[in-house]
Amino acid sequence: MLAAARIAVLATVLALSWQPAMAKRVAGASNLVTEDSYVNHDGVRVHKPIHAKSKPTNATARCRDGSYSFSTHHRGTCSGHRGVAEWYR
């Protein structure tokens, strides 16, 4: 019984700690500097794909899931987002 209670508390803590990160990502979509990014194979920091109501500045592609990519290379762009729907440059 005690183990089940500990698991329930841990699950609650994990759920609460995860939500602010997701909320920040959606709510702060216009502030690309503070959002999630990755370093591409050229060593350049690139913003991860985001969902937005309209095309963000510097977006290079729209993914099939509706997110926008800022990738600097075609290879791998929108992977995990069902591929590229439209290229912008």
Side-chain angles (χ1 to χ4, degrees):
M1 188 67 174
L2 185 59
R6 286 182 181 170
I7 290 172
V9 169
L10 180 59
T12 302
V13 169
L14 289 174
L16 292 174
S17 66
W18 174 80
Q19 288 176 350
M22 287 304 291
K24 176 186 170 209
R25 188 176 212 181
V26 173
S30 64
N31 187 358
L32 300 179
V33 175
T34 62
E35 295 299 316
D36 294 335
S37 61
Y38 64 95
V39 176
N40 69 10
H41 69 268
D42 293 330
V44 176
R45 183 162 299 280
V46 178
H47 192 278
K48 288 184 178 180
I50 62 166
H51 287 275
K53 291 182 180 182
S54 61
K55 179 185 168 227
T57 304
N58 299 327
T60 57
R62 183 175 48 82
C63 303
R64 289 187 179 146
D65 71 351
S67 61
Y68 291 90
S69 174
F70 301 88
S71 179
T72 57
H73 300 282
H74 283 211
R75 186 176 184 173
T77 299
C78 295
S79 62
H81 296 270
R82 300 191 331 231
V84 175
E86 179 180 11
W87 288 103
Y88 297 124
R89 45 173 149 143

